Amino acid sequence: MRRGTALTAAALAVSLSVSLMAGCSHHGRHDDRAPRHTPAPTAPAPSPAPSAAAAGSPLAVKIDNVPAARPQTGLAAADVVYAEQVEGGLSRLMAVYATRLPKTVGPVRSARESDLELLRQFHRPTLAFSGAQHKLLPLIDRAPLRAESADEAPAAYYRGTAKAAPHNLYLHPAKLLPSAPGKAALTTGFSYGPAPSGGTPTTARTVRYPAARFTFTWSAGRHRWLVAMDGTPTVTTDGARVAPATVVVQYVKIRTSRYHDVLGNPTPYTETVGSGKAQVLRDGRSFDATWSRPAATDGTTFTAADGGRMNFADGQVWVVFAPAP
């Protein structure tokens, strides 16, 4: 009886080891290639239910932002949109969802090392991305987040037909989170309320990267900032104009990381822990401010020129990480 039990346990151990090795093999694929297609099983197993921890944490999605990827889908539903510089002086977005989940988000692209630092302010957020450099994958695995790439959660992603790969990978957020976790999941440190006194009347503000630019134009009628990227109005696939209530130009150190893309271009690292200057656009005015994030687990607080808390207007917030002068 003991011999039979031992043999059974050994067989189970071997089976589990093989399964784990097979699962780990998906981690090595670079993000920007289309995923390998494998024959569908005759009776596909249902996707696992999202964990309870994920239900109380926000969803962060890395979104493609080159001209070939536009218009994007689901961008207007994000609570916070971060714009960062990537290889070749181009830009990429990270959209954070907490109060509502759109049906579809995309195109989804790859993660970067500095994303891990930025996301430490949230409690175990779910990160949706197309993949990452092979050397970066161990860092993502160790980060305090729920990594859900196209390889790890294939049932949540699909390839669209309107754009060419790699600009056609889309996410169904409901396949990763059972519902929107709510505003309490936005542990960004942002403060919302009445604007401080002062400020400078502003009709438009442009932020430039070496190969990309963002322009925010005030619309008094909509009481929002209309977004344009590379000189083109930013709309979503349903025709809606992207228009945040608050825009933050946050001046940060952008240095070269130890990684690079397939063409050999160095990957920038955006430092979001520390302090520095910022400009906050709201209500048709620009306010000088300072930002502070002492530790990666802290949110980012903004202080107005008079020393008081710099409040944001209710609604979507865009944070553009600009190189510090």
Side-chain angles (χ1 to χ4, degrees):
M1 192 70 174
R2 292 179 182 173
R3 178 177 176 83
T5 303
L7 288 173
T8 301
L12 286 173
V14 171
S15 175
L16 179 59
S17 176
V18 171
S19 298
L20 289 172
M21 291 176 65
C24 291
S25 66
H26 289 292
H27 262 306
R29 186 183 58 78
H30 189 271
D31 72 295
D32 290 337
R33 295 196 295 250
R36 293 186 291 268
H37 295 283
T38 55
T42 54
S47 301
S51 68
S57 303
L59 170 67
V61 186
K62 290 305 301 287
I63 298 180
D64 201 349
N65 198 37
V66 297
R70 302 170 192 156
Q72 290 104 338
T73 301
L75 192 58
D79 294 285
V80 183
V81 177
Y82 294 99
E84 61 181 348
Q85 182 179 323
V86 292
E87 298 85 358
L90 295 169
S91 65
R92 192 159 291 182
L93 307 177
M94 178 188 287
V96 180
Y97 300 87
T99 59
R100 59 183 174 136
L101 298 178
K103 181 179 179 181
T104 307
V105 177
V108 181
R109 287 298 291 271
S110 58
R112 296 294 185 273
E113 182 185 10
S114 52
D115 298 334
L116 306 182
E117 179 177 281
L118 179 62
L119 289 173
R120 288 286 304 280
Q121 64 190 299
F122 302 109
H123 172 68
R124 196 169 175 76
T126 296
L127 173 62
F129 60 112
S130 61
Q133 287 192 18
H134 180 76
K135 293 180 180 179
L136 180 58
L137 290 172
L139 273 69
I140 295 176
D141 289 338
R142 293 194 297 268
L145 52 78
R146 180 182 171 219
E148 296 288 1
S149 70
D151 279 340
E152 293 163 320
Y157 294 85
Y158 72 95
R159 290 277 173 183
T161 58
K163 300 181 179 74
H167 314 292
N168 63 348
L169 181 66
Y170 292 86
L171 169 73
H172 288 307
K175 296 289 184 71
L176 297 182
L177 273 71
S179 62
K183 194 170 184 178
L186 293 173
T187 51
T188 55
F190 298 168
S191 177
Y192 297 83
S197 59
T200 303
T202 302
T203 57
R205 178 71 165 85
T206 296
V207 180
R208 288 179 170 84
Y209 292 158
R213 74 182 189 273
F214 298 87
T215 299
F216 304 94
T217 303
W218 177 247
S219 169
R222 294 190 58 181
H223 212 71
R224 292 288 187 271
W225 297 92
L226 304 180
V227 182
M229 294 188 286
D230 303 326
T232 302
T234 302
V235 297
T236 57
T237 47
D238 60 4
R241 189 76 187 266
V242 178
T246 304
V247 176
V248 180
V249 182
Q250 185 176 339
Y251 293 100
V252 298
K253 181 178 180 180
I254 302 176
R255 58 174 172 82
T256 300
S257 76
R258 51 186 162 167
Y259 302 101
H260 55 79
D261 65 12
V262 293
L263 300 177
N265 296 312
T267 299
Y269 187 101
T270 300
E271 296 187 1
T272 57
V273 173
S275 61
K277 295 182 178 181
Q279 290 178 328
V280 177
L281 310 179
R282 60 164 296 177
D283 305 329
R285 306 179 79 85
S286 174
F287 298 86
D288 290 332
T290 57
W291 67 270
S292 176
R293 186 182 176 202
T297 52
D298 295 329
T300 305
T301 58
F302 291 85
T303 304
D306 62 4
R309 196 71 174 262
M310 180 68 233
N311 290 330
F312 296 170
D314 288 334
Q316 187 181 75
V317 176
W318 274 58
V319 179
V320 182
F321 294 122

